[in-house]
Amino acid sequence: MAGLAGQQATAPPQLRSLVAAARSTAPSPEEVQSWARSFDKLMHSPAGRSVFREFLRTEYSEENMLFWLACEELKAEANQHVVDEKARLIYEDYVSILSPKEVSLDSRVREGINKKMQEPSAHTFDDAQLQIYTLMHRDSYPRFLSSPAYRALLLRGGSPSSSEA
């Protein structure tokens, strides 16, 4: 662990924030290794999402993760009044062409959302969420796996939560 502290002190700011994100959520070495085997494992791990989000921030594409997370939250909502409000906020924050955090959606998906926004549901953004998930999987995920940040996590060794050998 002392070696990591030394690496972190001399590392670029982006790498330091990624290492700090991983340390705050304390994934085990096995969990970190599992992220390389499956994008789904990365996205279903709170620690994995945190580290990947930090990586996306360095690539100026954090809005993709934020949109995906907002859609997950929307799908878990049962109160229609809250669904309406959350759907409106997601639209304004990530779908509107006026948003500085606009995600990249094709015209077919964007038109479908525009129609569904007349009567929003918890699944209004399902097609868009899948499109962004696929974009992250195909585009950002391979770069994440070859990034110095992910390699540093792999080299980190054991953590206090991994006592098994």
Side-chain angles (χ1 to χ4, degrees):
M1 198 58 107
L4 181 61
Q7 286 175 332
Q8 188 173 355
T10 60
Q14 300 94 329
L15 180 57
R16 287 197 301 267
S17 67
L18 287 167
V19 171
R23 189 178 279 153
S24 69
T25 50
S28 70
E30 294 78 19
E31 183 177 4
V32 172
Q33 291 169 3
S34 77
W35 301 340
R37 291 189 295 273
S38 165
F39 185 63
D40 289 335
K41 286 189 186 299
L42 174 72
M43 292 297 284
H44 286 95
S45 160
R49 285 192 308 268
S50 176
V51 173
F52 188 54
R53 179 177 169 186
E54 284 297 320
F55 172 76
L56 292 173
R57 185 175 292 146
T58 69
E59 293 207 324
Y60 304 100
S61 60
E62 179 186 22
E63 67 277 359
N64 291 331
M65 176 66 81
L66 295 174
F67 172 74
W68 187 85
L69 290 168
C71 291
E72 287 295 291
E73 194 176 296
L74 178 66
K75 288 193 288 190
E77 186 56 59
N79 180 317
Q80 186 58 46
H81 179 71
V82 176
V83 166
D84 291 347
E85 182 63 16
K86 284 185 178 186
R88 184 186 63 77
L89 290 172
I90 290 170
Y91 185 88
E92 289 175 3
D93 287 348
Y94 304 107
V95 179
S96 170
I97 58 172
L98 302 174
S99 173
K101 297 185 290 187
E102 179 188 5
V103 294
S104 180
L105 300 171
D106 66 36
S107 60
R108 178 192 59 81
V109 169
R110 193 174 295 279
E111 288 169 16
I113 291 171
N114 288 335
K115 289 177 185 169
K116 292 175 185 174
M117 284 301 292
Q118 301 303 314
E119 292 182 38
S121 78
H123 299 282
T124 295
F125 301 99
D126 284 359
D127 291 342
Q129 185 185 24
L130 178 60
Q131 193 169 77
I132 294 303
Y133 185 89
T134 302
L135 175 71
M136 290 189 296
H137 186 192
R138 290 185 182 156
D139 188 44
S140 303
Y141 176 63
R143 286 195 303 276
F144 169 72
L145 293 178
S146 62
S147 71
Y150 181 68
R151 288 196 307 270
L153 290 175
L154 286 174
L155 295 173
R156 180 170 66 102
S159 69
S161 64
S162 62
S163 56
E164 297 175 25

